[in-house]
Amino acid sequence: MDIKNVETFVKVAELESFTRASEALSYVQSTVTMQIKQLEKELGFPLFDRIGKKISLTDSGREFLDVAYELLHSVEKAESIGKNKKELHGTLRIGASESLLFTVIAEILPDFKEKFKNIEVKIITGHSVELVEQLKTNQLDMLYIAQPQISYSDLVCLYTRPEHFIFVCAPTHNAAKRKLTATELMEQTFIVTEQSGICYGTLHELALRFGKELDVSVEVDSVHIITELAKKGMGVAFLPDYSVKDYLKQGTLTEIEADIEKQGYLSHVLCHKNRWISPAIVGFVEMINAVRPGEMQ
């Protein structure tokens, strides 16, 4: 079985397009079509249903996709034997929470690229549920997300760190001028993340605990935008402490003092249990642990 044909199949499956796959692989489209036909002939079953200009994996194609990823991982593992970090080639596909991307990954990425010069890094952000599904279907190699305690039978955790949320606002905001009771805090006007996220979910549960409904001025799916709006005095934000540490040091945001316990959660690095843990993945996790020490598995 020609591994190039397997690589092409995976790219077509991921992009759901022969045209986009040919562009991504720098092949002419006829080459992609020929490679898929060769693979289908060798396997003895069709990999794609072709309806007009749209394609989709057949049931057998979906089953073979998992095998194809395993084959490519095995080849990657074999090619890494005896090589140092700078000689390794390949792509590392990372799914990440936006807050962790801007505060942790952005910090370690230059050092990672210095040590793994020939590893292409692709970073995808999104909602945790969507990213976990992409990891399960081998569309990602590793995942760095913030969630409560989690357990997935088909995933393994490589790193865990306890995290905390804090309430912040502009130094000129009324909530910054004195210590608030829990009820007073829950009566503030908030700038919130999307309702499906862990920040909003935790904040909503807190409000219910104290018999309040959240007063929301702005809902936006970006921690960066929320911090900018909070700095302008548009409301109170409830965010991971690491995502606002620089603003707190600069004095452009202040942590609100309130008679309420800090809310905790966890950050994790996850991989598929059948995925070979490559030197690049190990290196990336070690760098995360160096800047934010946690528990490595």
Side-chain angles (χ1 to χ4, degrees):
M1 184 176 292
D2 190 335
I3 200 66
K4 291 294 184 183
N5 292 351
V6 177
E7 291 175 345
T8 296
F9 161 70
V10 168
K11 187 61 66 175
V12 173
E14 289 178 344
L15 298 178
E16 298 181 331
S17 167
F18 280 72
T19 302
R20 290 197 294 271
S22 64
E23 293 171 351
L25 295 168
S26 298
Y27 294 158
V28 294
Q29 188 169 334
S30 59
T31 298
V32 171
T33 302
M34 179 189 67
Q35 289 177 314
I36 297 301
K37 286 182 177 179
Q38 287 177 346
L39 189 56
E40 289 176 327
K41 183 177 180 180
E42 187 173 7
L43 292 169
F45 53 78
L47 295 167
F48 296 99
D49 284 322
R50 301 163 176 83
I51 303 175
K53 294 183 179 181
K54 293 185 178 181
I55 65 166
S56 60
L57 285 168
T58 62
D59 290 341
S60 296
R62 279 190 290 272
E63 187 174 351
F64 180 69
L65 182 60
D66 288 336
V67 177
Y69 278 118
E70 290 176 13
L71 286 171
L72 296 182
H73 293 157
S74 295
V75 170
E76 183 184 353
K77 182 177 182 180
E79 291 177 343
S80 71
I81 296 174
K83 292 183 178 179
N84 62 42
K85 294 176 181 178
K86 292 186 178 182
E87 291 177 321
L88 294 173
H89 288 74
T91 301
L92 182 59
R93 304 165 301 169
I94 304 169
S97 301
E98 184 212 19
S99 59
L100 292 167
L101 170 62
F102 281 104
T103 56
V104 183
I105 294 179
E107 180 178 350
I108 68 175
L109 199 53
D111 188 34
F112 178 85
K113 286 297 297 180
E114 177 62 28
K115 293 180 179 178
F116 294 86
K117 290 184 180 295
N118 297 311
I119 298 294
E120 178 187 0
V121 178
K122 292 185 178 180
I123 301 174
I124 295 120
T125 60
H127 301 304
S128 295
V129 173
E130 297 170 349
L131 292 174
V132 166
E133 188 58 33
Q134 290 180 55
L135 185 65
K136 288 182 176 182
T137 56
N138 282 305
Q139 297 176 59
L140 295 171
D141 299 313
M142 61 177 286
L143 191 55
Y144 187 25
I145 57 172
Q147 276 196 334
Q149 184 65 51
I150 55 177
S151 177
Y152 299 103
S153 60
D154 45 359
L155 303 180
V156 294
C157 183
L158 305 182
Y159 161 94
T160 301
R161 176 187 166 93
E163 309 285 4
H164 291 91
F165 293 113
I166 60 173
F167 293 89
V168 296
C169 64
T172 55
H173 194 283
N174 287 334
K177 297 178 181 179
R178 63 182 177 85
K179 186 174 182 178
L180 304 180
T181 66
T183 300
E184 289 173 330
L185 179 59
M186 290 298 103
E187 290 174 342
Q188 300 298 313
T189 298
F190 287 91
I191 310 162
V192 300
T193 59
E194 77 285 353
Q195 296 189 21
S196 60
I198 183 175
C199 288
Y200 183 91
T202 305
L203 180 61
H204 181 65
E205 289 179 5
L206 271 177
L208 291 178
R209 188 187 307 174
F210 293 100
K212 299 294 180 180
E213 287 191 17
L214 288 177
D215 179 8
V216 175
S217 63
V218 179
E219 177 183 330
V220 56
D221 185 13
S222 170
V223 171
H224 176 69
I225 297 300
I226 290 172
T227 55
E228 290 301 314
L229 294 177
K231 284 162 58 178
K232 297 179 185 298
M234 291 187 63
V236 170
F238 180 66
L239 296 170
D241 55 2
Y242 59 77
S243 69
V244 293
K245 61 181 177 64
D246 289 339
Y247 300 106
L248 295 176
K249 288 180 181 179
Q250 296 164 5
T252 53
L253 283 177
T254 187
E255 182 176 359
I256 297 172
E257 289 190 68
D259 185 20
I260 192 168
E261 63 184 16
K262 284 197 172 183
Q263 302 301 301
Y265 64 103
L266 298 169
S267 59
H268 313 268
V269 174
L270 304 172
C271 281
H272 196 283
K273 67 177 183 180
N274 296 328
R275 206 298 180 197
W276 171 56
I277 308 302
S278 67
I281 292 175
V282 173
F284 208 92
V285 176
E286 288 177 345
M287 290 181 188
I288 290 173
N289 190 61
V291 298
R292 293 189 60 74
E295 182 179 346
M296 293 184 63
Q297 307 299 319

